Amino acid sequence: MAEASEDASALPVTVKKKKSLSIEEKIDIINAVESGKKKAEIAAEYGIKKNSLSSIMKNKDKVLEAFESLRFDPKRKRLRTAFYTDLEEALMRWYRIAQCLNVPVNGPMLRLKANDFAQKLGHNDFKCSNGWLDRFKSRYGLVFRAQPVEATGVPVDPSTVWHQNVLPYYLNDYHPKNVFNIKETGLLYRMLPTNTFAFKGETCSIGKLCKDRITLVVGTNMDGSEKLPLLIIGKNRNPHCFKGIKSLPVCYEANKMAWMTSDVFEQWMRKLDEKFQAQQRRVVIFVDSFPSHPEVKNLKSIELAFFPSCLSSKFIAMKQGVIKSLKIKYRHCLIKKFLSSVEGSKEFTFSLLDAVDTLHLCWRAVTPETIVKSYEEAGFKSQKGESDKTNAETDSGLDLVAHAQAAGVEFPEGLSIEEYAALDDDLETCEAAPETDSVWTKESQSEETGFYTSDEEDDGGSLGTELPLPSKNEALTALDTLKNFLRSQDINDELHNSLADLEIFINSSSK
């Protein structure tokens, strides 16, 4: 019996090996289940147990996301990710872009780029070893082969290549509400129609118009549901009209040229990054490849996607209607304020603070339909099938040109409101590369602080007409007047609530 027992224990034990499925096979199983096929038949066909099939269906979203975003080789059997996921995503996106642009990539190039991304992302302990590179290639199914040379003789437009092959990867990875574009535009914030003759051919680098210029930075998301706070860059850090002002409805920065600079850009990106972190969102922001738009290290919630320097402006969403709509609305308001002064026989004054308030008001009035239409015209098509056909707003209403002429205001013949609004579109808005700084160095040498500090020039002659800040009682009296007016109108609950919030805030203020 003992011998029989020993013989039995000596027999080889057959252990059934667990069946491993590739991502591609898991996708087929998911499709089969959703088509109504019996789970028992599917499990038998693929040689797996029913509980394994249930586990696949439980993790369906992860499998589909991995397959659709192409972050994994479909032949892979596991969805195990790497420790440096942000580095790998950046490296893989760079590799895809290189492929789309027919740039051959080899191991040493990939290793060099991996170390570069690690430094930019703050992974100071990362070193791209041969072992890490091999594992990375295995995870993503990368095989380097000699690139065939195609001598077609047909020139390729880089803008088209980027639009057809690179942009879709970003739109596949991000929901439209998390896809943003930002763009700078110059604005002569006090330029009336009567000033347009002086501006004709003006470079706006010297003279009176230069004092009246600001740079406006606008940004929205792709589905029109969110507009970033306006960033306004002026020449004076503390203009006289800001005296006593502790908060503004926009972000305000200043430098001697009223331009976007690398420091301003980085500071703004970090502020936006904190906002998106608090919302637990991950977003992509498309920006121009300018020296004033550096790669900002250690952003947690923002991925910066840089347009190729050769990209046509037709692919920049903000330039397809958003900036135009904002400027037309702004010029409408400016002319209305001017006409009100003329008709009331009052001196027309319009400070930078007035411009800030007017821009904030007009920015809120730009419609989601205009934003969505602008993205569509720029070729941003949702990869998730959520884009609806929309029509951009039409800026109708008062015929300001006729009204201005009727009031005796000179308005250049043949100049439409659209042309008037677009006269300052080509102003320089960003700092140049260091070697071209000599263009404005001479002008800036006379400025000790780097800013214009003349209150009269900066505030439109309002220095002598400064009004004292209202008291708390005066503010409450003004609020009562506003209430009486609004109650005579058909307003919604939101406005009533806003009035109550205003009264609570005024009463709780210290002054």
Side-chain angles (χ1 to χ4, degrees), residues 64-279:
L64 291 172
E65 182 186 359
F67 183 76
E68 291 172 358
S69 64
L70 301 179
R71 284 184 292 177
F72 298 101
D73 175 12
K75 303 298 181 185
R76 284 186 58 201
K77 300 180 184 295
R78 295 182 182 273
L79 297 181
R80 187 175 296 151
T81 56
F83 183 70
Y84 301 102
T85 53
D86 55 348
L87 188 155
E88 291 207 0
E89 287 177 5
L91 187 60
M92 196 59 200
R93 181 164 282 123
W94 173 84
Y95 175 76
R96 291 171 184 160
I97 292 173
Q99 278 188 312
C100 293
L101 299 177
N102 292 321
V103 176
V105 176
N106 55 29
M109 287 176 63
L110 207 61
R111 185 182 295 113
L112 185 67
K113 201 63 187 176
N115 286 326
D116 181 45
F117 278 127
Q119 183 181 9
K120 290 174 179 175
L121 292 167
H123 299 310
N124 299 322
D125 58 339
F126 174 85
K127 295 296 179 186
C128 185
S129 63
N130 289 333
W132 183 91
L133 186 61
D134 289 340
R135 290 191 296 275
F136 173 80
K137 288 159 60 178
S138 175
R139 275 193 289 274
Y140 291 90
L142 303 187
V143 179
F144 299 136
R145 300 185 181 91
Q147 297 279 337
V149 179
E150 297 181 6
T152 60
V154 179
V156 178
D157 177 15
S159 292
T160 303
V161 172
W162 181 89
H163 173 258
Q164 293 179 348
N165 299 288
V166 179
L167 179 61
Y169 286 118
Y170 289 103
L171 300 186
N172 184 67
D173 285 351
Y174 290 91
H175 190 279
K177 73 176 181 180
N178 294 325
V179 176
F180 287 81
N181 172 219
I182 64 171
K183 181 63 182 173
E184 296 89 351
T185 185
L187 180 69
L188 297 170
Y189 66 89
R190 273 198 295 260
M191 185 178 68
L192 292 164
T194 51
N195 302 136
T196 55
F197 289 124
F199 180 68
K200 205 79 171 176
E202 165 87 64
T203 61
C204 201
S205 59
I206 57 174
K208 181 67 175 73
L209 284 178
C210 183
K211 309 285 186 179
D212 289 348
R213 68 147 297 160
I214 57 176
T215 289
L216 190 61
V217 191
V218 302
T220 75
N221 64 352
M222 185 174 160
D223 66 3
S225 62
E226 183 174 358
K227 287 176 276 195
L228 298 178
L230 290 176
L231 171 61
I232 294 176
I233 307 171
K235 290 175 174 289
N236 195 335
R237 177 70 65 187
N238 298 298
H240 191 77
C241 60
F242 284 9
K243 185 177 180 181
I245 302 296
K246 294 184 178 179
S247 64
L248 292 171
V250 303
C251 301
Y252 181 79
E253 297 291 342
N255 55 62
K256 60 180 174 288
M257 295 300 290
W259 278 354
M260 172 65 83
T261 66
S262 55
D263 289 339
V264 170
F265 181 79
E266 180 170 347
Q267 183 179 343
W268 191 41
M269 283 301 109
R270 294 200 183 283
K271 186 180 294 186
L272 290 176
D273 193 53
E274 290 176 2
K275 167 192 168 184
F276 289 124
Q277 280 187 68
Q279 297 173 352

Side-chain angles (χ1 to χ4, degrees), residues 287-420:
V287 296
D288 292 302
S289 295
F290 291 157
S292 58
H293 298 161
E295 290 193 44
V296 183
K297 296 180 181 179
N298 301 321
L299 293 176
K300 301 293 191 302
S301 291
I302 292 175
E303 178 181 0
L304 290 175
F306 295 93
F307 291 127
S309 56
C310 59
L311 192 74
S312 169
S313 62
K314 70 180 182 180
F315 295 115
I316 299 173
M318 295 300 97
K319 294 195 71 173
Q320 305 313 308
V322 174
I323 290 175
K324 176 183 176 182
S325 175
L326 173 61
K327 283 194 171 184
I328 288 177
K329 293 178 188 301
Y330 179 82
R331 300 295 189 203
H332 268 262
C333 289
L334 182 62
I335 295 177
K336 284 180 181 178
K337 289 178 185 291
F338 180 62
L339 290 176
S340 177
S341 297
V342 171
E343 292 168 348
S345 300
K346 298 178 181 177
E347 180 185 359
F348 175 68
T349 58
F350 195 78
S351 69
L352 181 58
L353 182 60
D354 294 324
V356 165
D357 287 337
T358 303
L359 283 166
H360 176 63
L361 178 71
C362 296
W363 185 227
R364 286 179 60 85
V366 175
T367 66
E369 291 77 18
T370 291
I371 295 170
V372 172
K373 186 68 174 177
S374 296
Y375 271 96
E376 289 177 349
E377 291 184 2
F380 281 66
K381 305 294 183 183
S382 174
Q383 302 298 296
K384 304 179 185 299
E386 298 179 10
S387 179
D388 297 322
K389 292 292 181 182
T390 57
N391 295 314
E393 63 188 311
T394 56
D395 288 286
S396 57
L398 178 66
D399 185 349
L400 285 175
V401 177
H403 189 184
Q405 291 172 339
V409 177
E410 183 181 5
F411 204 105
E413 186 177 354
L415 182 69
S416 68
I417 191 74
E418 289 81 7
E419 292 169 328
Y420 166 47

